[in-house]
């Protein structure tokens, strides 16, 4: 059961209108790593979670908070669009810089949204449900959630340097702080899963070992670049993070199977099969006639 509280988690009020920045702010609303994505991702992970208790509560709590961030950004975008020029002439008449604001604005904000935010990214591409992942494996999902928060915080940090509006910057500071918490929170949740003995690396841990193939291929770094710089990395020698193997560096990867030779395809699909194309054509023609 959800209940909407009319108050915002944090103030979302600019000091003045800026339709061009409203367009940019759309990215952290309806982009791949925006608030619409993380809100729905965490909620679906929580709704699908078959493990009642702290992990399910964690997912639903954060998903609900992120839905509040959606409302905050929508509110900010709508306020940034207030008094925005609807034509080039109007923009020039009201402000010498109005032409640039008009040129940088998103027409869909006014044509589709009536002066309000849209479920889309900064280029106007609609938000897509395929952006969210809820796999049912908490370790896999939590690792992706760290990435989502890192990408989201990165984009908010970039937007922070694209505006001089004090009100906008203050809301962005709040979002940056919450993204800091969320990155640390998902990392802590990953460690908690391991401590509770529920999941471990590699994902899925429950899949049986691959025998000799794991020994030969599971911990070998293959160097396909010229030089051996990659051999200096932590991933090329020493114990693996899952504690189940030792990294090795192979600077001369070898093919382990011969070149594939495919049989002729079904002639009714009219593919081109080198060496047998003529006979296939004749076969098809004879069947047709």
């Amino acid at each position: 059961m959800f209940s909407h509280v009319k108050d915002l988690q944090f103030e979302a009020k600019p000091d003045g209108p800026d339709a061009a920045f409203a367009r940019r702010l759309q990215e952290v609303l309806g982009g791949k790593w925006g608030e619409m994505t993380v809100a729905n991702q965490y909620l679906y992970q929580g709704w699908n979670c078959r493990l009642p208790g702290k992990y399910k509560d964690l997912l639903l709590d954060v998903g609900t908070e992120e839905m509040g961030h959606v409302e905050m950004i929508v509110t900010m975008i709508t306020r940034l669009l207030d008094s925005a020029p609807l034509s080039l002439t109007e923009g020039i008449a009201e402000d010498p810089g109005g032409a640039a604001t008009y040129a940088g604005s998103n027409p869909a904000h006014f044509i589709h949204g009536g002066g309000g935010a849209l479920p889309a990214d900064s280029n106007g591409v609609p938000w897509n449900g395929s952006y969210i992942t809820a796999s049912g494996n908490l370790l896999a999902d939590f690792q992706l959630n760290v990435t989502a928060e890192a990408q989201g915080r990165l984009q908010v940090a970039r937007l922070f340097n694209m505006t001089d509006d004090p009100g906008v910057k203050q809301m962005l500071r709040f979002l940056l702080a919450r993204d800091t918490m969320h990155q640390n929170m998902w990392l802590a949740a990953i460690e908690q899963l391991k401590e509770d003995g529920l999941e471990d690396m590699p994902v899925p841990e429950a899949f049986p070992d691959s025998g000799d193939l794991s020994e030969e291929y599971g911990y070998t770094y293959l160097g396909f670049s010229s030089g051996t710089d990659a051999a200096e990395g932590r991933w090329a020698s020493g114990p693996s993070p899952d504690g189940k193997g030792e990294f090795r560096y192979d600077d001369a990867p070898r093919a382990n199977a011969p070149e594939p030779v495919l049989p002729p395809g079904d002639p009714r699909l009219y593919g081109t099969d080198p060496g047998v194309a003529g006979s296939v054509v004749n076969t098809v023609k004879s069947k047709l006639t």
Side-chain angles (χ1 to χ4, degrees):
M1 182 177 69
F2 280 81
S3 178
H4 178 255
V5 177
K6 294 182 180 179
D7 297 332
L8 296 178
Q9 188 182 15
F10 195 83
E11 184 61 273
K13 183 181 292 184
D15 282 30
D18 187 343
F21 188 74
R23 177 177 186 171
R24 297 185 179 197
L25 194 57
Q26 281 283 161
E27 191 62 37
V28 292
L29 172 64
K32 179 179 180 180
W33 302 110
E35 299 289 359
M36 289 181 63
T37 295
V38 291
N40 281 282
Q41 179 157 297
Y42 303 161
L43 288 173
Y44 270 90
Q45 289 175 3
W47 290 326
N48 290 340
C49 182
R50 299 177 183 272
L51 189 65
K54 60 187 176 186
Y55 294 108
K56 192 177 185 77
D57 283 0
L58 168 66
L59 288 160
L60 295 177
D61 284 345
V62 186
T64 302
E65 179 189 358
E66 299 287 13
M67 198 59 75
H69 294 176
V70 170
E71 184 175 14
M72 285 168 51
I73 296 176
V74 166
T75 301
M76 180 64 82
I77 290 173
T78 300
R79 286 172 167 170
L80 285 167
L81 294 171
D82 285 347
S83 304
L86 300 182
S87 68
L88 181 59
T89 303
E90 181 181 333
I92 295 174
E94 294 181 357
D95 175 12
T101 300
Y102 175 77
S105 66
N106 182 357
H109 272 151
F110 310 101
I111 298 171
H112 297 166
L118 300 167
D121 67 13
S122 55
N123 287 317
V125 178
W127 182 81
N128 194 313
S130 67
Y131 294 160
I132 71 174
T133 298
S135 71
N137 183 290
L138 292 182
L139 184 54
D141 286 350
F142 287 177
Q143 291 184 122
L144 177 61
N145 294 350
V146 175
T147 299
E149 293 290 345
Q151 292 291 340
R153 193 174 194 276
L154 177 62
Q155 292 184 352
V156 173
R158 289 170 173 169
L159 284 167
F160 188 87
N161 294 302
M162 297 180 187
T163 179
D164 295 320
D165 189 296
V168 174
K169 281 183 172 288
Q170 193 65 358
M171 185 195 75
L172 296 180
R173 288 188 183 97
F174 171 80
L175 293 175
L176 289 164
R178 292 310 296 162
D179 285 346
T180 297
M181 168 58 189
H182 292 166
Q183 285 187 47
N184 282 290
M185 178 193 68
W186 292 124
L187 289 170
I190 288 170
E191 294 307 311
Q192 184 81 81
L193 276 173
K194 296 177 181 178
E195 291 171 9
D196 288 346
L198 293 171
E199 292 290 347
D200 209 336
M201 289 288 290
V203 177
E205 185 195 15
F207 189 82
D209 190 275
S210 300
D212 293 341
L213 293 181
S214 284
E215 178 66 24
E216 184 175 357
Y217 300 111
Y219 299 95
T220 301
Y221 182 92
L222 301 178
F224 287 100
S225 301
S226 59
T228 59
D229 289 349
E232 301 171 8
R234 169 68 181 81
W235 51 81
S237 63
S240 60
D242 63 11
K244 300 174 182 178
E246 289 281 329
F247 284 134
R248 294 181 298 276
Y249 180 81
D250 184 350
D251 63 353
R254 296 162 297 284
N256 295 289
E259 177 186 357
V261 178
L262 303 179
D266 189 320
R268 295 168 296 178
L269 299 179
Y270 305 105
T272 302
D273 297 311
V276 297
S279 62
V280 169
V281 169
N282 292 332
T283 300
V284 173
K285 284 183 176 179
S286 65
K287 289 184 177 180
L288 292 175
T289 56

